Amino acid sequence: MTILVIAEHDNQSIKAATLNTVGAAAKIGGDVHLLVAGAGCGAAAEAGAKIAGVSKVLVADAPHYDAQLAENVAELIKGLAGSYSHILAPATSAGKNTLPRVAALLDVAQISDIVGAESADTFVRPIYAGNALATVRSSDSVKVITVRTTAFEPVAEAGGNAAVESIAAAADLGISSLVGRELTKSARPELGAAKIIVSGGRGLGNGENYHAIMEPLADKLGAALGASRAAVDAGYVPNDYQVGQTGKIVAPQLYVAVGISGAIQHLAGMKDSKVIVAINKDPEAPIFQVADYGLVADLFEAVPQLTAAVG
Amino acid sequence: MKILVPVKRVVDYNVKVRVKADGSGVDVANVKMSMNPFDEIAVEEAVRLKEAGIATEVVAVSAGIGACQETLRAALAIGADRAILIETDAELQPLAVAKLLKAVVGKEQPQLVICGKQAIDDDANQTGQMLAALMGWPQATFASKVAIADGRATVTREIDGGLETLSISLPAVVSTDLRLNEPRYATLPNIMKAKKKPLDVTNPADLGVDVAPRLSTVKVEEPPKRGAGVRVADIAQLVDKLKNEAKVL
Ligand SMILES: Cc1cc2nc3c(=O)[nH]c(=O)nc-3n(C[C@H](O)[C@H](O)[C@H](O)COP(=O)(O)OP(=O)(O)OC[C@H]3O[C@@H](n4cnc5c(N)ncnc54)[C@H](O)[C@@H]3O)c2cc1C
Ligand SMILES: Nc1ncnc2c1ncn2[C@@H]1O[C@H](COP(=O)(O)O)[C@@H](O)[C@H]1O
């Protein structure tokens, strides 16, 4: 059994989500290869070769993989699939975009967002916003899988010594192109990788309040900032702050929910956090049902007090 | 330009589903059903493109049991022109739906398919990408802005780090994210009008598609419950608990 893990990278370095995905591959068992498809991605491939548990890195370096668009990358993976029992990618926006395309090209199902691997063909995945867990068995020859990174321990970033092999690029389909990216710049940790997340909802009232109330707390705690959909929709913060069923799935050591009611769609994204704190003025808010520590209070008083009390 | 919009009938997003005692699935008997919220956004987007004079016809299509007619009527009430039901009692997985949609695309020849990014029951997030692959078309998933001009679509997508804009040739598949638009409420006159709009019924056999599932469900369980938490009186107590009990500070 050999498993191909699709690396998430920016041509220079490998994203943390890849380490959890290799962790999931290790759980399934077998040899693990890593695919780095990019343009000028030698540094990323070198970094991939150091990941613990990876035995070979395949590098497809070509201009038409620069933006890692789904059409071209899926075509490349299709050509490699014959040698593999499983193809895994993290269930990030990139993995979710590309992998179903691979599955369809191979005429197999995709198993989305697994949180457990029971055997080589049986996997656990959440359905209905995490209100149920389904155990599913695949009868397909190749298992195409996206991995919920919070459910699998990352492997070590260093210590491995994999062979690096250049592979030929597949054809450039030429049907899509990147116009541009507007990436949120932040000195704070990434939501997916943060140990502490402070997350704000509609209770903050507006964007200025979000920044004035939440940022000092995040600074003190070295935390990432998150938000509910309502806060994102109302424009308090950019879309990539959204935690939930249809946003990011997080599981930090500490999640502090401020002025968030706790709709099932939000809970779906954070209820596996180790410790949950809720600050909400409504004692009936459903967020208190999942909170380890609940404080019924006006956030405009409580959060600055918390900021002053920590660190 | 014709736009095809796949719409799925799902358990309403406000319902907290229960797992069946025998572990065979979730209990959907007597539960409120609605159109998948992302598909409402897809219908709205298609109708807006028609209102802007860019699209000429909007066709809604749903695969599933006879009751999916209600979902299709809801799409017609938002402003779709006609509807197609692919009727079957079989369990449909995303690959099978993508193949059914491919067959419909073959007949209808739309220039654009706008679907939801994810059905909120199976949370699969696959069907649109699979359809694009089967057609050999480009895709723009998780769209928050769509502009059509000169035979191409320029689509802004919500990605993990922020936003990305793609230019794709048509025909293509676009999948909707939450912030693409806010769907209108269907007015009573439009609901009445929707009842008279054409709704054709076909089935997987007529479309020549094998919908046999590739994944079998071994069991469905409740997720582990979190232990009951405590209320703290004030910030001082909260900080004390976080430092000394939970040891996360
Ligand atoms: C298809 C679909 C997908 C969705 N996906 C997501 C998702 O991924 N993530 C997500 O978050 N949501 C998602 N939602 C939306 C979700 O259903 C809720 O609408 C949303 O989470 C509510 O955000 P909120 O808690 O900030 O706002 P509200 O529900 O309005 O809650 C605001 C809270 O703030 C409290 N508050 C107000 N003022 C104060 C104060 N001064 N001090 C303290 N507390 C105060 C209130 O008591 C209230 O509990 C989705 C919905 C749909 C239909
Ligand atoms: N049975 C179905 N009938 C019509 N459209 C569907 C069906 N299943 C999925 N879709 C479409 O595909 C999208 C993604 O679904 P999924 O891949 O199941 O998460 C949905 O938002 C719909 O637009």
Side-chain angles (χ1 to χ4, degrees):
Chain A
M1 236 169 46
T2 311
I3 301 177
L4 183 65
V5 171
I6 314 304
E8 187 142 332
H9 67 91
D10 57 6
N11 290 318
Q12 304 302 318
S13 61
I14 304 274
K15 295 268 162 75
T18 303
L19 303 175
N20 304 81
T21 309
V22 173
K27 186 99 197 288
I28 296 168
D31 230 13
V32 179
H33 293 179
L34 191 70
L35 173 67
V36 177
C41 57
E46 288 305 323
K50 297 199 180 78
I51 295 174
V54 173
S55 66
K56 194 199 274 184
V57 177
L58 305 179
V59 194
D61 199 328
H64 59 279
Y65 300 132
D66 188 28
Q68 298 174 42
L69 299 183
E71 296 82 356
N72 282 337
V73 174
E75 194 67 18
L76 173 71
I77 300 171
K78 180 183 96 174
L80 302 172
S83 318
Y84 295 96
S85 56
H86 299 73
I87 299 174
L88 268 58
T92 52
S93 60
K96 290 180 199 168
N97 187 38
T98 302
L99 232 55
R101 207 168 163 110
V102 173
L105 292 175
L106 297 172
D107 191 28
V108 301
Q110 178 184 275
I111 309 154
S112 296
D113 217 12
I114 64 162
V115 296
E118 310 260 283
S119 71
D121 66 2
T122 306
F123 307 93
V124 184
R125 59 177 304 267
I127 54 175
Y128 291 94
N131 285 310
L133 290 176
T135 302
V136 296
R137 181 174 297 134
S138 160
S139 55
D140 285 319
S141 55
V142 188
K143 276 72 174 164
V144 174
I145 295 170
T146 60
V147 173
R148 180 170 290 195
T149 54
T150 54
F152 294 90
E153 289 294 321
V155 297
E157 201 173 359
N161 185 19
V164 179
E165 185 185 308
S166 285
I167 57 166
D172 178 3
L173 299 178
I175 49 179
S176 62
S177 61
L178 178 69
V179 177
R181 288 194 180 128
E182 273 174 64
L183 301 182
T184 307
K185 288 195 189 64
S186 166
R188 294 199 171 81
E190 265 184 54
L191 262 182
K195 292 214 159 43
I196 303 181
I197 295 174
V198 296
S199 202
R202 184 157 25 211
L204 283 148
N206 59 47
E208 290 82 69
N209 290 343
Y210 183 100
H211 296 295
I213 300 281
M214 301 299 289
E215 282 177 3
L217 179 60
D219 289 341
K220 270 281 187 72
L221 294 173
L225 284 168
S228 70
R229 173 188 172 186
V232 175
D233 282 4
Y236 304 179
V237 288
N239 62 282
D240 54 303
Y241 282 45
Q242 183 179 317
V243 170
Q245 178 187 20
T246 56
K248 289 206 175 81
I249 310 286
V250 298
Q253 294 290 309
L254 173 62
Y255 187 90
V256 184
V258 175
I260 292 177
S261 61
I264 45 178
Q265 293 85 7
H266 189 80
L267 301 186
M270 44 65 79
K271 69 180 165 50
D272 293 327
S273 303
K274 184 159 170 272
V275 175
I276 297 174
V277 170
I279 299 176
N280 195 304
K281 69 177 182 190
D282 173 9
E284 305 295 323
I287 190 75
F288 288 122
Q289 290 163 21
V290 301
D292 299 283
Y293 302 111
L295 177 64
V296 179
D298 184 338
L299 71 89
F300 294 102
E301 285 168 22
V303 177
Q305 283 176 17
L306 178 60
T307 306
V310 294
Chain B
M1 180 177 85
K2 191 193 279 188
I3 303 180
L4 194 74
V5 185
V7 295
K8 187 176 186 187
R9 178 178 185 267
V10 297
V11 171
D12 187 83
Y13 78 98
N14 279 313
V15 175
K16 190 169 185 300
V17 295
R18 267 178 228 286
V19 172
K20 282 194 224 166
D22 66 358
S24 63
V26 301
D27 196 355
V28 293
N30 305 315
V31 162
K32 183 178 179 212
M33 305 296 286
S34 302
M35 190 190 305
N36 184 41
F38 290 98
D39 305 353
E40 276 186 358
I41 295 172
V43 178
E44 174 70 33
E45 193 67 16
V47 170
R48 286 188 193 183
L49 285 168
K50 188 178 170 201
E51 288 166 349
I54 294 163
T56 48
E57 190 182 28
V58 177
V59 182
V61 49
S62 191
I65 60 172
C68 296
Q69 292 214 11
E70 291 164 23
T71 318
L72 289 168
R73 292 288 172 205
L76 295 169
I78 297 173
D81 298 293
R82 59 190 175 84
I84 301 168
L85 171 64
I86 308 165
E87 192 167 357
T88 174
D89 293 338
E91 181 198 343
L92 294 175
Q93 293 177 352
L95 181 64
V97 176
K99 289 179 178 178
L100 292 169
L101 293 173
K102 180 186 179 202
V104 173
V105 165
K107 286 187 197 247
E108 294 284 339
Q109 301 284 320
Q111 283 295 98
L112 188 61
V113 175
I114 310 181
C115 63
K117 83 163 177 182
Q118 160 177 357
I120 60 163
D121 50 2
D122 63 15
D123 282 332
N125 194 332
Q126 299 176 10
T127 307
Q129 296 89 313
M130 287 182 153
L131 173 64
L134 296 176
M135 297 304 303
W137 288 1
Q139 65 186 48
T141 53
F142 326 149
S144 63
K145 198 171 161 201
V146 176
I148 310 281
D150 308 323
R152 295 186 78 82
T154 305
V155 181
T156 302
R157 311 176 52 231
E158 298 201 353
I159 59 170
D160 287 343
L163 296 170
E164 166 180 288
T165 302
L166 298 181
S167 169
I168 55 176
S169 58
L170 297 180
V173 176
V174 168
S175 84
T176 61
D177 216 318
L178 294 168
R179 281 164 286 275
L180 180 58
N181 62 49
E182 214 170 299
R184 70 194 72 181
Y185 286 101
T187 60
L188 194 58
N190 285 343
I191 293 170
M192 299 311 288
K193 254 194 260 168
K195 293 191 175 151
K196 298 203 185 74
K197 290 185 180 174
L199 190 160
D200 292 328
V201 182
T202 178
N203 61 57
D206 285 350
L207 294 172
V209 175
D210 173 9
V211 295
R214 302 297 185 81
L215 301 177
S216 59
T217 301
V218 179
K219 64 178 177 206
V220 175
E221 298 164 292
E222 297 264 354
K225 286 233 173 357
R226 288 188 77 93
V230 295
R231 296 282 164 106
V232 291
D234 53 28
I235 288 291
Q237 197 190 357
L238 174 63
V239 172
D240 175 61
K241 295 253 185 212
L242 291 176
K243 281 193 172 142
N244 301 316
E245 192 174 82
K247 300 196 194 313
V248 287
L249 284 186

